Amino acid sequence: KGWNYLYRESKESERFTDDINEAVMIHSKTTVPGNTKGYGKTCKLGFVPTRKDKCRVGFPIPGNQKIENATTADGYEPNCYTNERVTDKYVPKLRELMHKRTGKFSQGK
């Protein structure tokens, strides 16, 4: 069966949430192969981006504190803030539940 392009959420499925205790929205996207092509060059510290060539791969900024000329161990420039609540609270819960379900996922970070 194909994708239903006319699908709409019902009014009953939408409501306000208590985003402190109830929900976290995670922005994510698909990265197509063309966006990762050349990342070994375009994501290194010192690369000057152009309209065509720029880093489209996220490297987490340690502690969410941007430091001038900082790099990862491999020389990539950190360019992506992380949601520490997701990293510290929800990822471990998700890994635990996935491990209980299949036994295939690591409990570590």
Side-chain angles (χ1 to χ4, degrees):
K1 184 177 177 179
W3 180 261
N4 182 354
Y5 291 97
L6 301 176
Y7 177 80
R8 300 285 186 263
E9 287 285 334
S10 67
K11 293 272 188 203
E12 295 78 29
S13 71
E14 296 181 10
R15 65 180 179 85
F16 288 103
T17 60
D18 175 358
D19 59 347
I20 298 298
N21 298 307
E22 196 173 34
V24 172
M25 178 183 281
I26 299 176
H27 171 81
S28 63
K29 64 181 181 179
T30 299
T31 302
V32 296
N35 284 349
T36 60
K37 181 180 177 187
Y39 84 93
K41 176 181 80 171
T42 60
C43 297
K44 294 281 184 168
L45 181 67
F47 177 79
V48 179
T50 65
R51 190 172 66 83
K52 179 183 169 194
D53 293 322
K54 55 186 155 191
C55 182
R56 292 183 170 94
V57 177
F59 294 92
I61 297 169
N64 288 332
Q65 298 292 319
K66 189 85 168 153
I67 299 172
E68 189 81 19
N69 296 322
T71 66
T72 67
D74 296 323
Y76 297 109
E77 183 176 8
N79 58 3
C80 185
Y81 292 98
T82 59
N83 183 327
E84 291 175 354
R85 186 172 180 196
V86 170
T87 302
D88 298 339
K89 182 176 181 178
Y90 294 109
V91 168
K93 286 182 179 184
L94 176 61
R95 283 197 171 125
E96 179 184 340
L97 293 171
M98 291 168 68
H99 182 74
K100 283 180 183 177
R101 186 172 183 173
T102 67
K104 293 181 183 178
F105 297 93
S106 168
Q107 295 293 318
K109 285 189 175 184

